[in-house]
Amino acid sequence: METMVNVWAVVEHVRVASGAAELAIFTAILYWFFTSSRVADMLEVVGERVGGWCGRDSNSLRQAVRARRRHHNDIYTKLDQERTTRASSLFRVKEGPVVPAPQPATRPPAGLACARCAPVSRESWQDPKAVDTGAVINILDIGQQNFANGGVVSRCLCDLAQCCNLSNYDYKDMVPEVLKDESFQQAVEKSALNEVENKGSGDSVTPELRRRVEARAKKVLMDISSAMSNRVLKIVAWLCHKAVRRIAGGGCGTRAACVERLRRAKTAGLPLIFVPLHRSHLDYILVTFTLYLTGLRPPLVAAGDNMRIPFFGWFLRGCGAFYIRRRVDGSEYHGDQVYKTALRSYILNSLAAKNNLEFFIEGGRTRTGKPQPPKAGILSVIMDAYLDGTIDDALLVPVTLNYDRLVDGNFVREQLGMPKQMETFWTALRGIWRTLNTNHGSIRVDFNQPLSLKELATSFQNYNYLKAPIESTLTPPNNNLAVNLDRQILYNHSHSSMYGADVSVDHKMMVEAIGRHLVYDAAQATAFMCTNVVSYVLLTEHRRGCTLKQLSHAVAMRGAALSRDGRDLGYTGEAPTLLKHALDMLGRSLVRREGSGEKQRVRPQRSIAASLELAYYSNTVAAHYAAPAIVATALESIIRQPNADQEIIRHTELMEASLQLCEILSQEFILCAPCHRVEETMMRALESLIASEVITPVESNSGLEEQQWSRRFARTLDDEEIEDDDRPDPTLRIKYRVSQRPEALLERTRLLRTLRPLLEGYAAAGRGLRAGSQKDLIKATLDDLTEDYTQHKMLYGEAISTDAIRNCWRLLKQWGVIELYTHNKVRMLRVVPPYDAQSRRDAVCEHLYKFNVQSPLL
């Protein structure tokens, strides 16, 4: 009992002590609550609101509390001063001029439809209220954005979740449709009759022979056909997510406005025909990958039959690839009417089924980095489908791709005359492994504004200067290039193995014109990567080397100049950082760095292989400067002639020489869209040289020629009628003064070096012209160029290129100087009379040599 009393006493003491502690804590909380500035702030807000409701201006409780405490702590004085300062600052902001917040840098609009050929397409497929800021989205981040607020699993596996949630599309098998096609059946019947005639038996087509021919025709069709599968597409999309993240450290970007335009265009219900420029084997996947991830229907893709390799070919077929032979005419497949008909029927039935289509209009991959003239075979089939009513219309979408570093490696072997290595399973496997273990920087995939095929075909009929094609070759110097050059270029290139026998020349030239327009539009929308700009600056402005600081300044100035010209730069950031990234991408095998710190010097490697690979990246920018470079080269060829005036040059003489050089380089560059005259392009290039003060107009004291002609016309009006042909050319007396300022000389040097390697290759091809096999002639010409380069007679290693030699031969073939033919499966070259005489041949080739003159600027 006593123990219980003691325990109870202890409990009572504890309860009293805990109660005292609770009371002390409660008192401290009350003290903190009523003395805290936070409570005063809350009461201040409540008091001000209540005062506002009552219609009176109440004083702040916090200020009253501070006034009572001011003699204890002067910190409240500082707080009141800060509050007063903030209030006055806000007053000044409200009453003063409004300064907008800094906006992100915008890119110039790119990929718009031609205002002259397709004005309706230019105004369509875009939101009139939206402004194209040029924002670039990284398609690899779409999954992360879509599942940012999802669960833990979807956030961690966002790529997989994005691929699993991609839309499914219905892809109908076209093989049964083609087998029932009337034209295909006629081709099979004709093939069976040809076999009977070749045997000479004179019998009719037997059922057994017909079954054999049908089986062979069906195999041809099965080799062509695609096997598009939604499952394969999703698997490949997920694999591409992982692969592209690994190889493209800078991501894979596309313009947001381009994607939005395509989404609007697909609502028209017309097939979208994507026409990419071809740089890499990865192009096949990237275009489909970008369209699929952005919610657009993946297209059927025309792929070369060299890509039909085990396993990888099956994957490409599942992604929509249908395989076409690389060559039809001029090969063992010449005259294979069953194959031609099967391919045409497959494409036409695919378009009729509302499938999207993709084909590379250049044919193969560019080996030089420049856009190549179009191969209009598949485009002619699409044009036939429109003309015969198979499709009401189609939307052509030029596509351009660019890489910081080329994924497929370089094309040096082929440029040096070595045969192309055919793709096999093991070479593809090694290439993929090498690619996955290399950082290729950034990738850009951009889509131009969709162009109506119907609108382009209608617009072509309005260009009278493209009509009445030249039926006979015009060899220099008899060409009236100011009149004939535009249609001569189209006429010389408008040949394709896919044309039918009854196709008119006007139809061929229309297809060629549309093809060149698509290539030109895609080239103009190509985003320049930092490696392109750095390579161009090194080869044209600082070929002998410079300090890192000088190179950084030159790259920044060149990038700013390209932006002013309306070109899109596929890179952003500070110049030193970009330069370091570009040099790392190019590698020490292409660019040599000596020293360290501010005195570090950079220059291109002097090996032929390095020059060729560096020129590949540079040529993307060189194509942009081709027109002013042609005018500058023509200027140099005139003033460096013996006894020529090196200070004053006539306008007519300069324009005539520029047009001659345009004809020579017609295989290298597409200088303008066919809806514009080449002469107009040269005039704009001439104006750019005047704007940069490379040349300046010479003022005439006698007044304008137009004014003088009008005075003479007024005097003779009463005497006789003057015909329009008697009116003198007002440009005859226009002259220009060649500037000798250091800045003007540097600009001329840059433009001259832009074209000089090509002219060196053309001149060597002209000097080595003789009869023989093409392989032997190419090897001999390359050996001559290599010897000149090693002996320092020529400064440009990139001139040692098979592409320049072949393009020169194509030009001479158009002039009627040579003939290219096949003998015993060997490609041969023959000089056509009367040019088999050396003197006559040199007279024509003199037009190649005169632009390759020696100049102190070089």
Side-chain angles (χ1 to χ4, degrees), residues 334-448:
H334 178 69
D336 190 347
Q337 192 62 36
V338 172
Y339 173 78
K340 292 182 181 181
T341 306
L343 180 58
R344 288 169 62 89
S345 299
Y346 187 84
I347 294 173
L348 294 182
N349 281 276
S350 298
L351 292 176
K354 303 299 182 182
N355 281 321
N356 295 335
L357 188 68
E358 175 191 341
F359 68 95
F360 296 96
I361 195 165
E362 296 173 293
R365 293 169 293 167
T366 173
R367 265 58 178 173
T368 61
K370 301 189 299 292
Q372 303 298 299
K375 303 291 190 302
I378 296 181
L379 184 59
S380 68
V381 176
I382 298 170
M383 179 63 72
D384 287 342
Y386 161 68
L387 294 177
D388 63 19
T390 304
I391 56 175
D392 297 329
D393 195 2
L395 298 179
L396 302 172
V397 184
V399 185
T400 177
L401 300 97
N402 205 357
Y403 305 82
D404 266 344
R405 183 175 181 178
L406 191 61
V407 177
D408 295 347
N410 57 57
F411 299 100
V412 172
R413 283 176 46 87
E414 296 175 40
Q415 291 293 342
L416 293 178
M418 301 179 188
K420 178 181 181 295
Q421 292 182 331
M422 295 301 296
E423 289 80 4
T424 63
F425 175 79
W426 296 111
T427 58
L429 200 62
R430 286 195 297 268
I432 292 174
W433 178 258
R434 183 174 59 251
T435 299
L436 290 176
N437 288 278
T438 307
N439 180 20
H440 294 82
S442 300
I443 300 175
R444 281 289 297 271
V445 184
D446 291 317
F447 303 88
N448 283 25

Side-chain angles (χ1 to χ4, degrees), residues 577-626:
T577 305
L578 292 172
L579 178 60
K580 182 180 182 304
H581 172 72
L583 294 177
D584 291 341
M585 287 292 101
L586 295 173
R588 295 187 178 274
S589 61
L590 302 185
V591 180
R592 183 173 181 178
R593 288 182 268 187
E594 302 171 339
S596 60
E598 295 182 356
K599 295 183 178 180
Q600 185 178 20
R601 292 188 62 82
V602 182
R603 67 173 178 84
Q605 293 283 11
R606 282 191 51 81
S607 68
I608 296 175
S611 298
L612 285 170
E613 189 173 354
L614 205 59
Y616 180 95
Y617 296 101
S618 170
N619 282 337
T620 307
V621 182
H624 173 75
Y625 287 112

Side-chain angles (χ1 to χ4, degrees), residues 9-303:
V10 172
V11 170
E12 285 294 326
H13 282 93
V14 171
R15 289 178 59 189
V16 171
S18 62
E22 290 175 359
L23 180 62
I25 293 172
F26 180 75
T27 304
I29 292 175
L30 288 178
Y31 177 82
W32 173 84
F33 186 84
F34 285 104
T35 58
S36 173
S37 61
R38 297 181 182 179
V39 177
D41 292 340
M42 291 190 293
L43 294 178
E44 175 192 6
V45 173
V46 173
E48 289 177 352
R49 295 291 175 87
V50 172
W53 294 338
C54 297
R56 61 185 178 83
D57 196 7
S58 60
N59 293 326
S60 172
L61 175 63
R62 179 169 51 184
Q63 292 180 358
V65 172
R66 288 176 181 173
R68 291 195 300 270
R69 289 171 168 261
R70 193 159 291 160
H71 62 281
H72 297 292
N73 195 345
D74 196 47
I75 189 173
Y76 295 104
T77 305
K78 298 179 180 179
L79 293 176
D80 288 338
Q81 290 175 354
E82 292 178 1
R83 181 176 181 277
T84 305
T85 303
R86 286 197 301 269
S88 61
S89 299
L90 289 173
F91 176 78
R92 286 196 302 270
V93 169
K94 292 179 180 179
E95 295 298 324
V98 178
V99 179
Q103 300 294 323
T106 59
R107 301 173 185 268
L112 298 180
C114 176
R116 183 177 294 188
C117 279
V120 177
S121 298
R122 189 181 179 92
E123 298 300 326
S124 305
W125 329 125
Q126 57 185 348
D127 186 357
K129 298 180 181 179
V131 179
D132 184 5
T133 61
V136 176
I137 58 174
N138 187 358
I139 62 173
L140 300 177
D141 295 338
I142 294 177
Q144 295 178 356
Q145 296 169 1
N146 291 340
F147 296 95
N149 298 323
V152 176
V153 176
S154 61
R155 289 200 306 270
C156 295
L157 302 176
C158 58
D159 293 345
L160 182 60
Q162 171 69 14
C163 295
C164 291
N165 283 275
L166 291 172
S167 302
N168 291 324
Y169 298 95
D170 181 23
Y171 291 100
K172 184 179 179 181
D173 186 9
M174 292 293 106
V175 173
E177 300 294 328
V178 176
L179 289 175
K180 294 184 294 185
D181 191 273
E182 182 180 354
S183 61
F184 182 76
Q185 292 293 332
Q186 291 176 355
V188 171
E189 185 69 25
K190 186 176 180 180
S191 178
L193 290 174
N194 289 338
E195 285 201 14
V196 171
E197 292 176 0
N198 292 335
K199 290 180 180 179
S201 59
D203 298 332
S204 60
V205 178
T206 62
E208 181 182 357
L209 176 60
R210 183 174 178 82
R211 284 195 300 270
R212 188 167 63 250
V213 173
E214 286 179 347
R216 187 166 63 247
K218 186 175 181 179
K219 182 181 184 304
V220 168
L221 181 58
M222 294 300 297
D223 290 341
I224 292 174
S225 62
S226 170
M228 181 79 89
S229 167
N230 287 290
R231 292 181 180 179
V232 175
L233 278 173
K234 292 181 179 182
I235 293 173
V236 172
W238 181 75
L239 292 175
C240 283
H241 263 295
K242 301 306 177 187
V244 177
R245 284 188 191 279
R246 183 176 179 87
I247 69 175
C252 180
T254 187
R255 281 177 171 257
C258 299
V259 176
E260 184 60 30
R261 288 196 295 253
L262 291 178
R263 287 173 179 165
R264 289 176 172 271
K266 75 174 183 178
T267 60
L270 297 173
L272 294 174
I273 300 174
F274 299 95
V275 189
L277 301 184
H278 201 5
R279 289 182 177 272
S280 165
H281 285 316
L282 194 60
D283 298 347
Y284 296 100
I285 300 295
L286 280 179
V287 176
T288 299
F289 181 51
T290 304
L291 292 171
Y292 200 26
L293 288 182
T294 52
L296 296 164
R297 183 186 181 96
L300 301 179
V301 185

Side-chain angles (χ1 to χ4, degrees), residues 429-663:
L429 200 62
R430 286 195 297 268
I432 292 174
W433 178 258
R434 183 174 59 251
T435 299
L436 290 176
N437 288 278
T438 307
N439 180 20
H440 294 82
S442 300
I443 300 175
R444 281 289 297 271
V445 184
D446 291 317
F447 303 88
N448 283 25
Q449 201 168 14
L451 299 166
S452 167
L453 177 62
K454 180 179 180 180
E455 190 175 16
L456 290 176
T458 304
S459 298
F460 175 82
Q461 305 298 332
N462 300 327
Y463 303 132
N464 294 323
Y465 58 87
L466 298 178
K467 306 297 177 59
I470 303 168
E471 299 292 347
S472 59
T473 57
L474 295 177
T475 55
N478 300 320
N479 298 17
N480 186 7
L481 295 179
V483 177
N484 293 327
L485 182 58
D486 297 279
R487 67 173 182 263
Q488 181 178 328
I489 290 175
L490 288 184
Y491 179 76
N492 289 332
H493 291 82
S494 58
H495 302 284
S496 171
S497 60
M498 295 299 295
Y499 288 123
D502 56 345
V503 175
S504 65
V505 175
D506 284 342
H507 177 85
K508 292 182 179 181
M509 292 185 66
M510 179 170 63
V511 174
E512 178 70 21
I514 293 175
R516 293 179 75 85
H517 209 312
L518 295 174
V519 174
Y520 178 79
D521 289 346
Q524 290 298 305
T526 301
F528 292 137
M529 313 305 283
C530 57
T531 48
N532 300 134
V533 180
V534 171
S535 300
Y536 179 78
V537 170
L538 282 173
L539 291 181
T540 59
E541 299 182 36
H542 295 290
R543 195 175 187 96
R544 299 184 183 276
C546 62
T547 64
L548 205 61
K549 184 177 181 180
Q550 290 173 332
L551 181 59
S552 178
H553 176 73
V555 169
M557 292 297 101
R558 186 54 46 207
L562 291 169
S563 295
R564 288 194 299 271
D565 292 342
R567 296 306 299 264
D568 185 15
L569 300 181
Y571 58 89
T572 56
E574 299 295 330
T577 305
L578 292 172
L579 178 60
K580 182 180 182 304
H581 172 72
L583 294 177
D584 291 341
M585 287 292 101
L586 295 173
R588 295 187 178 274
S589 61
L590 302 185
V591 180
R592 183 173 181 178
R593 288 182 268 187
E594 302 171 339
S596 60
E598 295 182 356
K599 295 183 178 180
Q600 185 178 20
R601 292 188 62 82
V602 182
R603 67 173 178 84
Q605 293 283 11
R606 282 191 51 81
S607 68
I608 296 175
S611 298
L612 285 170
E613 189 173 354
L614 205 59
Y616 180 95
Y617 296 101
S618 170
N619 282 337
T620 307
V621 182
H624 173 75
Y625 287 112
I630 284 174
V631 178
T633 303
L635 169 67
E636 201 71 18
S637 68
I638 295 172
I639 65 176
R640 299 303 172 190
Q641 295 297 325
N643 303 321
D645 190 345
Q646 298 188 4
E647 294 185 358
I648 304 297
I649 187 171
R650 293 181 178 276
H651 172 86
T652 53
E653 189 178 9
L654 181 58
M655 286 300 298
E656 182 181 358
S658 299
L659 292 176
Q660 290 178 4
L661 188 53
C662 287
E663 182 190 21

Side-chain angles (χ1 to χ4, degrees), residues 792-812:
H792 303 289
K793 297 179 180 178
M794 182 187 66
L795 303 177
Y796 309 96
E798 61 269 30
I800 309 171
S801 165
T802 59
D803 266 62
I805 299 171
R806 292 182 184 275
N807 287 338
C808 180
W809 288 350
R810 293 188 182 103
L811 174 71
L812 294 174

